[in-house]
Amino acid sequence: MADTHLSAASQPPGLKHTLVRCVKCGLPETYETIEFDAGGVCNVCRQREFRDGKIDWPARRQMLDDLVESYRGKHPYDCVVPFSGGKDSTFTLWYLVKHYGIKPLVVQFDHGFMRPTLRANNERTFKQLGVEVLSFTPNWRVVKRVMLEALIRKGDFCWHCHTGIFAYPMQVAVRHKTPLLFWGEPSSEYTAYYDYREGEVEEVDETRFNRFVNLGITAEDMAGMIKQDFDFDFRDLGPFMYPPMKELKQLKARSVCLGSFIPWDVKEQVAIIERELGWKGDAVEGMPTGMWPYEKIECSMQGVRDYIKFLKRGYSRISQMVALDLRHGRMAKSEADRLVADHEGRKPASLDLFLKYLDITEAEFNAIVLKTVIPPHEPDFAAIPTGPKTWDFEQWYRG
Protein backbone atom coordinates (compact mmCIF):
# COMPACT_ATOMS: atom_id res chain seq x y z
CA MET A 1 0.00 0.00 0.00
CA ALA A 2 1.15 3.54 -0.70
CA ASP A 3 2.27 5.75 2.17
CA THR A 4 -0.99 6.93 3.71
CA HIS A 5 0.31 8.61 6.84
CA LEU A 6 0.37 12.25 7.69
CA SER A 7 3.83 13.33 8.73
CA ALA A 8 4.48 13.33 12.48
CA ALA A 9 4.74 17.12 12.42
CA SER A 10 1.25 17.41 10.94
CA GLN A 11 -0.50 15.20 13.49
CA PRO A 12 -3.07 16.92 15.73
CA PRO A 13 -2.37 16.87 19.48
CA GLY A 14 -3.89 14.13 21.60
CA LEU A 15 -2.89 11.21 19.34
CA LYS A 16 -0.48 8.60 20.68
CA HIS A 17 -0.31 6.74 17.37
CA THR A 18 -0.07 7.75 13.73
CA LEU A 19 -3.10 6.50 11.82
CA VAL A 20 -3.14 5.21 8.26
CA ARG A 21 -5.08 7.68 6.12
CA CYS A 22 -6.52 7.80 2.60
CA VAL A 23 -3.97 9.32 0.22
CA LYS A 24 -6.68 11.40 -1.46
CA CYS A 25 -9.03 12.65 1.28
CA GLY A 26 -7.06 11.99 4.48
CA LEU A 27 -9.74 10.01 6.32
CA PRO A 28 -8.12 7.60 8.80
CA GLU A 29 -8.38 3.85 9.17
CA THR A 30 -10.67 4.32 12.20
CA TYR A 31 -13.35 6.04 10.08
CA GLU A 32 -16.69 4.24 9.97
CA THR A 33 -16.99 1.71 7.10
CA ILE A 34 -13.64 2.71 5.57
CA GLU A 35 -11.53 0.39 3.41
CA PHE A 36 -8.42 1.14 1.35
CA ASP A 37 -7.56 -0.22 -2.07
CA ALA A 38 -4.06 -1.16 -3.26
CA GLY A 39 -3.35 2.47 -4.10
CA GLY A 40 -4.21 3.70 -0.62
CA VAL A 41 -7.49 5.32 -1.74
CA CYS A 42 -10.56 4.82 0.44
CA ASN A 43 -13.90 3.39 -0.63
CA VAL A 44 -15.71 6.67 0.05
CA CYS A 45 -13.49 8.43 -2.49
CA ARG A 46 -14.09 5.64 -5.00
CA GLN A 47 -17.83 5.99 -4.45
CA ARG A 48 -17.53 9.68 -5.20
CA GLU A 49 -15.65 8.99 -8.44
CA PHE A 50 -18.48 6.69 -9.49
CA ARG A 51 -21.09 9.29 -8.50
CA ASP A 52 -19.46 11.98 -10.63
CA GLY A 53 -18.59 9.83 -13.62
CA LYS A 54 -21.09 7.01 -13.94
CA ILE A 55 -24.52 8.06 -12.63
CA ASP A 56 -26.96 9.36 -15.27
CA TRP A 57 -28.16 12.43 -13.36
CA PRO A 58 -30.64 13.63 -16.03
CA ALA A 59 -32.30 10.20 -15.80
CA ARG A 60 -32.32 10.48 -12.00
CA ARG A 61 -33.94 13.92 -12.26
CA GLN A 62 -36.64 12.40 -14.46
CA MET A 63 -37.18 9.76 -11.79
CA LEU A 64 -37.66 12.57 -9.27
CA ASP A 65 -40.16 14.34 -11.56
CA ASP A 66 -42.14 11.13 -11.95
CA LEU A 67 -42.02 10.40 -8.21
CA VAL A 68 -43.35 13.83 -7.24
CA GLU A 69 -46.14 13.71 -9.81
CA SER A 70 -47.22 10.23 -8.74
CA TYR A 71 -48.03 11.55 -5.25
CA ARG A 72 -49.12 15.11 -6.00
CA GLY A 73 -52.60 16.00 -4.74
CA LYS A 74 -53.54 12.47 -3.66
CA HIS A 75 -53.01 12.79 0.09
CA PRO A 76 -53.44 15.42 2.82
CA TYR A 77 -49.92 16.59 1.93
CA ASP A 78 -47.80 15.87 -1.12
CA CYS A 79 -44.92 14.80 1.10
CA VAL A 80 -43.36 15.02 4.55
CA VAL A 81 -40.05 16.87 4.86
CA PRO A 82 -38.13 16.09 8.10
CA PHE A 83 -36.46 19.35 9.03
CA SER A 84 -33.64 20.26 11.41
CA GLY A 85 -32.98 23.72 10.00
CA GLY A 86 -29.45 22.86 8.98
CA LYS A 87 -28.13 23.37 5.47
CA ASP A 88 -29.33 20.07 4.01
CA SER A 89 -32.93 20.03 5.21
CA THR A 90 -33.30 23.74 4.43
CA PHE A 91 -32.07 23.23 0.88
CA THR A 92 -34.30 20.15 0.47
CA LEU A 93 -37.39 22.06 1.55
CA TRP A 94 -36.50 25.06 -0.64
CA TYR A 95 -35.80 22.87 -3.67
CA LEU A 96 -39.05 20.94 -3.45
CA VAL A 97 -41.20 24.02 -2.91
CA LYS A 98 -39.35 26.14 -5.49
CA HIS A 99 -39.04 23.60 -8.30
CA TYR A 100 -42.20 21.56 -7.80
CA GLY A 101 -44.64 23.85 -6.02
CA ILE A 102 -45.66 21.00 -3.74
CA LYS A 103 -47.54 21.18 -0.45
CA PRO A 104 -45.25 19.61 2.18
CA LEU A 105 -45.77 18.96 5.86
CA VAL A 106 -42.55 20.02 7.58
CA VAL A 107 -41.74 17.92 10.65
CA GLN A 108 -39.19 19.14 13.16
CA PHE A 109 -37.87 17.01 16.01
CA ASP A 110 -36.47 19.42 18.61
CA HIS A 111 -33.67 17.46 20.30
CA GLY A 112 -33.29 20.07 23.06
CA PHE A 113 -30.10 21.81 21.88
CA MET A 114 -31.23 24.18 19.13
CA ARG A 115 -29.22 27.39 19.01
CA PRO A 116 -30.48 30.99 18.52
CA THR A 117 -29.23 31.39 14.94
CA LEU A 118 -30.88 28.12 13.96
CA ARG A 119 -34.24 29.10 15.44
CA ALA A 120 -34.11 32.44 13.61
CA ASN A 121 -33.26 30.65 10.36
CA ASN A 122 -36.17 28.28 10.83
CA GLU A 123 -38.73 30.99 11.45
CA ARG A 124 -37.54 32.97 8.43
CA THR A 125 -37.54 29.88 6.18
CA PHE A 126 -41.03 28.75 7.18
CA LYS A 127 -42.53 32.19 6.62
CA GLN A 128 -40.81 32.82 3.32
CA LEU A 129 -41.73 29.44 1.87
CA GLY A 130 -45.25 29.45 3.32
CA VAL A 131 -45.29 25.93 4.75
CA GLU A 132 -47.11 24.13 7.54
CA VAL A 133 -44.88 22.90 10.35
CA LEU A 134 -45.17 20.32 13.11
CA SER A 135 -42.51 20.70 15.82
CA PHE A 136 -42.11 18.13 18.59
CA THR A 137 -39.97 18.26 21.72
CA PRO A 138 -39.45 15.09 23.80
CA ASN A 139 -39.43 14.89 27.59
CA TRP A 140 -36.19 16.59 28.75
CA ARG A 141 -35.93 14.42 31.86
CA VAL A 142 -36.08 11.28 29.73
CA VAL A 143 -33.67 12.78 27.18
CA LYS A 144 -30.97 13.28 29.82
CA ARG A 145 -31.33 9.70 31.08
CA VAL A 146 -31.14 8.07 27.65
CA MET A 147 -28.20 10.30 26.72
CA LEU A 148 -26.27 8.86 29.64
CA GLU A 149 -27.29 5.28 28.83
CA ALA A 150 -26.32 5.61 25.17
CA LEU A 151 -22.97 7.15 26.15
CA ILE A 152 -22.25 4.25 28.51
CA ARG A 153 -23.38 1.56 26.08
CA LYS A 154 -22.09 2.95 22.78
CA GLY A 155 -19.89 5.97 23.48
CA ASP A 156 -22.48 8.10 21.65
CA PHE A 157 -24.97 10.19 23.63
CA CYS A 158 -27.02 11.20 20.56
CA TRP A 159 -29.32 8.17 20.52
CA HIS A 160 -32.42 10.24 21.32
CA CYS A 161 -31.61 12.73 18.57
CA HIS A 162 -30.91 10.21 15.83
CA THR A 163 -33.79 7.88 16.60
CA GLY A 164 -36.22 10.75 17.10
CA ILE A 165 -35.23 12.58 13.92
CA PHE A 166 -35.69 9.44 11.82
CA ALA A 167 -38.55 7.67 13.61
CA TYR A 168 -40.85 10.54 14.53
CA PRO A 169 -41.39 11.90 10.97
CA MET A 170 -42.28 8.36 9.89
CA GLN A 171 -44.89 8.28 12.66
CA VAL A 172 -46.26 11.60 11.43
CA ALA A 173 -46.43 10.29 7.87
CA VAL A 174 -48.56 7.37 9.06
CA ARG A 175 -50.74 9.61 11.23
CA HIS A 176 -51.36 12.10 8.43
CA LYS A 177 -51.66 9.43 5.73
CA THR A 178 -48.88 10.99 3.67
CA PRO A 179 -46.70 8.22 2.22
CA LEU A 180 -43.87 10.17 0.55
CA LEU A 181 -40.96 11.54 2.63
CA PHE A 182 -37.94 13.50 1.41
CA TRP A 183 -34.67 13.70 3.32
CA GLY A 184 -31.52 15.54 2.25
CA GLU A 185 -28.16 14.04 1.38
CA PRO A 186 -27.72 10.25 1.07
CA SER A 187 -25.36 8.59 3.53
CA SER A 188 -23.17 7.60 0.57
CA GLU A 189 -21.80 11.16 0.59
CA TYR A 190 -20.01 10.39 3.85
CA THR A 191 -19.81 6.64 4.54
CA ALA A 192 -20.09 3.24 2.88
CA TYR A 193 -23.10 1.90 4.74
CA TYR A 194 -24.65 2.40 1.32
CA ASP A 195 -22.68 2.71 -1.90
CA TYR A 196 -23.39 4.83 -4.98
CA ARG A 197 -21.83 2.02 -6.98
CA GLU A 198 -24.73 -0.28 -6.08
CA GLY A 199 -26.80 1.78 -8.50
CA GLU A 200 -29.90 1.92 -6.33
CA VAL A 201 -31.76 4.86 -4.84
CA GLU A 202 -31.00 4.84 -1.11
CA GLU A 203 -34.20 4.16 0.84
CA VAL A 204 -34.47 5.79 4.27
CA ASP A 205 -36.30 2.83 5.73
CA GLU A 206 -36.26 0.57 8.77
CA THR A 207 -33.28 -1.37 7.44
CA ARG A 208 -31.26 1.84 7.30
CA PHE A 209 -32.61 2.88 10.71
CA ASN A 210 -31.40 -0.35 12.31
CA ARG A 211 -28.17 -0.51 10.31
CA PHE A 212 -26.59 2.68 11.67
CA VAL A 213 -29.10 5.25 12.93
CA ASN A 214 -30.21 3.80 16.28
CA LEU A 215 -26.79 2.45 17.37
CA GLY A 216 -28.32 -1.03 17.50
CA ILE A 217 -30.62 0.01 20.36
CA THR A 218 -34.38 0.05 19.82
CA ALA A 219 -36.69 2.07 22.05
CA GLU A 220 -37.82 -1.18 23.62
CA ASP A 221 -34.19 -2.06 24.32
CA MET A 222 -33.64 1.35 25.88
CA ALA A 223 -36.66 0.92 28.14
CA GLY A 224 -35.22 -2.31 29.47
CA MET A 225 -31.82 -0.70 30.02
CA ILE A 226 -33.07 2.21 32.14
CA LYS A 227 -36.05 0.73 33.96
CA GLN A 228 -34.06 -0.48 36.99
CA ASP A 229 -33.03 2.98 38.17
CA PHE A 230 -35.28 5.47 36.40
CA ASP A 231 -38.97 6.17 36.96
CA PHE A 232 -40.57 6.84 33.58
CA ASP A 233 -43.68 6.12 31.57
CA PHE A 234 -42.99 3.71 28.70
CA ARG A 235 -45.01 6.03 26.47
CA ASP A 236 -42.23 8.63 26.89
CA LEU A 237 -40.14 6.49 24.54
CA GLY A 238 -42.88 6.39 21.91
CA PRO A 239 -41.35 9.19 19.78
CA PHE A 240 -38.22 7.07 19.30
CA MET A 241 -40.04 4.00 17.96
CA TYR A 242 -40.07 3.21 14.25
CA PRO A 243 -43.65 2.61 13.04
CA PRO A 244 -44.69 -1.03 12.61
CA MET A 245 -43.94 -2.49 9.19
CA LYS A 246 -47.63 -3.34 8.77
CA GLU A 247 -48.61 0.32 9.02
CA LEU A 248 -45.90 1.42 6.60
CA LYS A 249 -46.92 -1.22 4.08
CA GLN A 250 -50.56 -0.22 4.35
CA LEU A 251 -49.55 3.38 3.73
CA LYS A 252 -47.22 2.30 0.90
CA ALA A 253 -44.61 4.61 2.38
CA ARG A 254 -41.70 5.79 0.24
CA SER A 255 -38.85 7.50 2.11
CA VAL A 256 -35.96 8.76 -0.03
CA CYS A 257 -33.08 11.24 -0.16
CA LEU A 258 -33.24 14.21 -2.52
CA GLY A 259 -29.52 13.66 -3.04
CA SER A 260 -30.25 10.34 -4.72
CA PHE A 261 -31.84 12.27 -7.59
CA ILE A 262 -29.66 15.38 -7.89
CA PRO A 263 -25.88 15.63 -7.32
CA TRP A 264 -25.23 16.96 -3.83
CA ASP A 265 -22.92 19.96 -3.49
CA VAL A 266 -23.01 21.50 -0.03
CA LYS A 267 -21.26 24.79 -0.83
CA GLU A 268 -23.40 25.52 -3.86
CA GLN A 269 -26.53 24.69 -1.92
CA VAL A 270 -25.55 26.88 1.01
CA ALA A 271 -25.03 29.78 -1.41
CA ILE A 272 -28.55 29.22 -2.73
CA ILE A 273 -30.30 29.20 0.66
CA GLU A 274 -28.27 32.19 1.80
CA ARG A 275 -29.39 34.11 -1.27
CA GLU A 276 -32.97 32.90 -1.46
CA LEU A 277 -33.89 32.56 2.22
CA GLY A 278 -31.41 34.71 4.11
CA TRP A 279 -30.13 31.57 5.83
CA LYS A 280 -27.21 32.29 8.16
CA GLY A 281 -24.32 30.11 9.27
CA ASP A 282 -22.73 30.08 12.70
CA ALA A 283 -19.57 29.26 14.63
CA VAL A 284 -19.32 25.67 15.84
CA GLU A 285 -17.03 24.46 18.62
CA GLY A 286 -13.88 22.81 17.34
CA MET A 287 -14.08 24.31 13.85
CA PRO A 288 -11.55 26.89 12.58
CA THR A 289 -12.88 30.45 12.61
CA GLY A 290 -14.56 31.26 9.31
CA MET A 291 -14.24 27.73 7.91
CA TRP A 292 -17.41 25.78 7.09
CA PRO A 293 -19.81 28.09 9.00
CA TYR A 294 -22.68 26.09 7.52
CA GLU A 295 -21.70 22.74 9.05
CA LYS A 296 -23.61 21.28 12.03
CA ILE A 297 -24.96 24.55 13.38
CA GLU A 298 -28.11 22.82 14.66
CA CYS A 299 -26.86 21.63 18.05
CA SER A 300 -25.17 23.28 21.02
CA MET A 301 -23.64 19.91 21.94
CA GLN A 302 -22.00 19.36 18.54
CA GLY A 303 -18.60 20.22 20.00
CA VAL A 304 -18.95 17.47 22.60
CA ARG A 305 -20.07 14.97 19.99
CA ASP A 306 -17.07 15.76 17.80
CA TYR A 307 -14.75 15.60 20.81
CA ILE A 308 -16.00 12.11 21.66
CA LYS A 309 -15.40 11.07 18.06
CA PHE A 310 -11.83 12.34 18.33
CA LEU A 311 -11.29 10.45 21.60
CA LYS A 312 -12.73 7.25 20.13
CA ARG A 313 -11.39 7.35 16.58
CA GLY A 314 -8.61 9.93 16.39
CA TYR A 315 -10.38 12.26 13.97
CA SER A 316 -13.21 14.76 14.13
CA ARG A 317 -15.40 17.05 12.06
CA ILE A 318 -12.46 18.88 10.48
CA SER A 319 -11.15 15.66 8.91
CA GLN A 320 -14.58 15.02 7.43
CA MET A 321 -14.88 18.54 6.04
CA VAL A 322 -11.43 18.67 4.44
CA ALA A 323 -12.17 15.25 2.91
CA LEU A 324 -15.29 16.66 1.24
CA ASP A 325 -13.40 19.71 -0.04
CA LEU A 326 -10.58 17.52 -1.35
CA ARG A 327 -13.06 15.36 -3.26
CA HIS A 328 -14.55 18.52 -4.76
CA GLY A 329 -11.08 19.77 -5.71
CA ARG A 330 -11.54 22.86 -3.55
CA MET A 331 -8.49 22.44 -1.34
CA ALA A 332 -4.86 21.38 -1.62
CA LYS A 333 -3.84 18.31 0.39
CA SER A 334 -1.15 20.33 2.18
CA GLU A 335 -3.76 22.85 3.36
CA ALA A 336 -6.06 20.04 4.49
CA ASP A 337 -3.27 18.45 6.53
CA ARG A 338 -2.45 21.81 8.12
CA LEU A 339 -6.06 22.42 9.16
CA VAL A 340 -6.29 18.97 10.75
CA ALA A 341 -3.02 19.40 12.61
CA ASP A 342 -3.70 22.94 13.80
CA HIS A 343 -7.36 22.71 14.81
CA GLU A 344 -8.55 19.15 15.35
CA GLY A 345 -8.80 17.52 18.76
CA ARG A 346 -9.79 20.39 21.07
CA LYS A 347 -11.73 19.83 24.27
CA PRO A 348 -14.91 21.91 23.92
CA ALA A 349 -15.85 24.52 26.51
CA SER A 350 -19.32 22.97 26.51
CA LEU A 351 -18.02 19.72 28.01
CA ASP A 352 -18.56 21.05 31.55
CA LEU A 353 -22.18 21.86 30.72
CA PHE A 354 -22.67 18.42 29.18
CA LEU A 355 -21.28 16.75 32.31
CA LYS A 356 -23.76 18.72 34.42
CA TYR A 357 -26.63 17.52 32.24
CA LEU A 358 -25.60 13.91 32.84
CA ASP A 359 -24.43 14.43 36.43
CA ILE A 360 -21.05 12.77 35.91
CA THR A 361 -17.45 13.92 36.39
CA GLU A 362 -14.91 14.37 33.63
CA ALA A 363 -12.96 11.41 34.99
CA GLU A 364 -16.09 9.27 34.71
CA PHE A 365 -16.71 10.61 31.21
CA ASN A 366 -13.16 9.74 30.13
CA ALA A 367 -13.43 6.24 31.58
CA ILE A 368 -16.70 5.63 29.71
CA VAL A 369 -15.33 6.84 26.37
CA LEU A 370 -12.08 4.87 26.74
CA LYS A 371 -14.10 1.64 26.66
CA THR A 372 -15.24 2.44 23.12
CA VAL A 373 -11.93 3.53 21.56
CA ILE A 374 -11.25 2.07 18.10
CA PRO A 375 -7.74 0.55 17.76
CA PRO A 376 -5.07 1.42 16.87
CA HIS A 377 -6.07 4.87 18.09
CA GLU A 378 -5.32 5.71 21.71
CA PRO A 379 -6.16 9.20 23.02
CA ASP A 380 -3.64 11.21 24.99
CA PHE A 381 -5.86 13.23 27.34
CA ALA A 382 -2.98 15.22 28.79
CA ALA A 383 -2.03 16.62 25.37
CA ILE A 384 -5.50 17.84 24.38
CA PRO A 385 -5.98 21.63 24.64
CA THR A 386 -9.30 23.33 25.36
CA GLY A 387 -11.02 25.25 22.59
CA PRO A 388 -12.79 28.64 22.79
CA LYS A 389 -16.45 29.24 23.61
CA THR A 390 -18.94 30.17 20.91
CA TRP A 391 -20.63 33.59 20.97
CA ASP A 392 -23.92 32.18 22.28
CA PHE A 393 -22.47 29.82 24.89
CA GLU A 394 -23.92 31.71 27.87
CA GLN A 395 -27.41 31.45 26.34
CA TRP A 396 -27.47 27.65 26.37
CA TYR A 397 -29.83 25.96 28.81
CA ARG A 398 -28.24 25.13 32.17
CA GLY A 399 -30.93 22.95 33.76
Side-chain angles (χ1 to χ4, degrees):
M1 179 180 294
D3 182 9
T4 55
H5 293 77
L6 292 176
S7 68
S10 64
Q11 291 291 320
L15 298 182
K16 289 186 177 181
H17 303 288
T18 299
L19 300 175
V20 175
R21 295 175 182 263
C22 173
V23 295
K24 291 190 69 176
C25 74
L27 288 179
E29 61 189 302
T30 51
Y31 190 79
E32 294 174 275
T33 71
I34 202 166
E35 296 176 357
F36 300 108
D37 64 17
V41 179
C42 76
N43 49 348
V44 183
C45 282
R46 294 305 189 200
Q47 287 178 184
R48 178 55 186 266
E49 292 170 359
F50 181 89
R51 191 203 87 158
D52 292 345
K54 299 294 185 181
I55 293 179
D56 185 345
W57 288 110
R60 287 289 185 96
R61 174 59 190 265
Q62 185 60 55
M63 290 172 61
L64 177 60
D65 293 348
D66 295 343
L67 181 63
V68 170
E69 293 308 317
S70 68
Y71 287 90
R72 187 190 297 276
K74 298 178 181 178
H75 306 280
Y77 298 90
D78 294 326
C79 67
V80 168
V81 178
F83 189 89
S84 69
K87 63 188 187 309
D88 300 310
S89 60
T90 301
F91 175 78
T92 298
L93 181 61
W94 173 85
Y95 187 92
L96 293 171
V97 172
K98 177 72 173 179
H99 289 277
Y100 291 101
I102 62 171
K103 179 180 177 61
L105 175 59
V106 180
V107 179
Q108 185 169 64
F109 186 90
D110 186 343
H111 43 61
F113 303 108
M114 289 186 174
R115 300 173 62 192
T117 297
L118 181 86
R119 293 191 183 278
N121 281 341
N122 292 350
E123 181 178 4
R124 190 165 48 249
T125 295
F126 298 153
K127 288 181 176 178
Q128 289 193 36
L129 292 180
V131 293
E132 297 176 21
V133 183
L134 262 178
S135 183
F136 176 81
T137 304
N139 183 324
W140 173 242
R141 181 172 164 270
V142 172
V143 164
K144 290 194 294 182
R145 180 62 187 87
V146 299
M147 283 170 61
L148 176 60
E149 193 67 27
L151 179 67
I152 293 171
R153 301 267 181 174
K154 296 292 184 175
D156 186 344
F157 65 90
C158 296
W159 179 88
H160 83 282
C161 179
H162 293 158
T163 56
I165 284 174
F166 283 93
Y168 187 73
M170 300 301 296
Q171 296 179 17
V172 171
V174 171
R175 193 175 307 135
H176 286 268
K177 297 180 172 57
T178 301
L180 180 61
L181 296 93
F182 275 108
W183 307 79
E185 81 282 14
S187 66
S188 303
E189 283 290 297
Y190 300 97
T191 66
Y193 286 111
Y194 291 86
D195 193 329
Y196 279 120
R197 293 171 292 183
E198 294 170 353
E200 302 293 331
V201 170
E202 184 175 326
E203 299 284 338
V204 188
D205 54 14
E206 188 171 15
T207 298
R208 186 182 191 266
F209 184 78
N210 290 327
R211 181 175 292 182
F212 67 91
V213 170
N214 69 0
L215 306 177
I217 301 174
T218 67
E220 292 84 356
D221 293 335
M222 183 61 74
M225 292 171 181
I226 66 176
K227 68 180 181 180
Q228 301 301 324
D229 64 353
F230 185 65
D231 183 20
F232 70 102
D233 187 323
F234 182 73
R235 292 173 295 179
D236 292 334
L237 294 176
F240 312 108
M241 296 181 182
Y242 212 81
M245 181 60 68
K246 179 180 179 181
E247 293 181 2
L248 293 173
K249 284 187 174 181
Q250 288 175 343
L251 182 65
K252 297 181 179 179
R254 187 79 193 278
S255 181
V256 295
C257 298
L258 179 62
S260 291
F261 302 97
I262 64 172
W264 210 251
D265 188 327
V266 168
K267 286 198 173 180
E268 286 189 7
Q269 292 161 193
V270 168
I272 290 172
I273 59 177
E274 287 175 339
R275 181 179 68 247
E276 299 292 328
L277 299 172
W279 190 89
K280 291 180 170 56
D282 212 340
V284 175
E285 284 187 304
M287 300 291 271
T289 301
M291 295 289 296
W292 312 293
Y294 47 80
E295 178 68 15
K296 294 299 180 183
I297 70 166
E298 301 96 314
C299 179
S300 58
M301 290 294 107
Q302 185 61 46
V304 176
R305 176 171 170 75
D306 287 339
Y307 178 57
I308 292 174
K309 183 178 292 184
F310 180 79
L311 294 178
K312 289 172 59 176
R313 295 178 177 269
Y315 75 91
S316 190
R317 184 69 46 187
I318 297 173
S319 284
Q320 293 176 266
M321 296 311 298
V322 300
L324 283 176
D325 279 356
L326 286 167
R327 293 187 201 114
H328 275 284
R330 290 175 172 148
M331 181 178 291
K333 186 64 164 57
S334 58
E335 174 66 3
D337 291 348
R338 184 191 66 78
L339 286 167
V340 170
D342 290 351
H343 298 282
E344 194 157 71
R346 302 296 189 267
K347 182 193 301 184
S350 61
L351 180 62
D352 288 342
L353 180 57
F354 174 80
L355 297 176
K356 289 178 181 177
Y357 288 153
L358 271 56
D359 194 24
I360 59 176
T361 66
E362 186 172 350
E364 290 172 326
F365 168 84
N366 290 344
I368 290 169
V369 174
L370 274 174
K371 294 179 181 179
T372 64
V373 168
I374 308 299
H377 171 58
E378 183 180 357
D380 183 359
F381 290 100
I384 299 175
T386 299
K389 298 177 181 178
T390 59
W391 69 271
D392 57 343
F393 178 76
E394 301 303 331
Q395 300 180 37
W396 298 351
Y397 180 64
R398 260 60 182 171

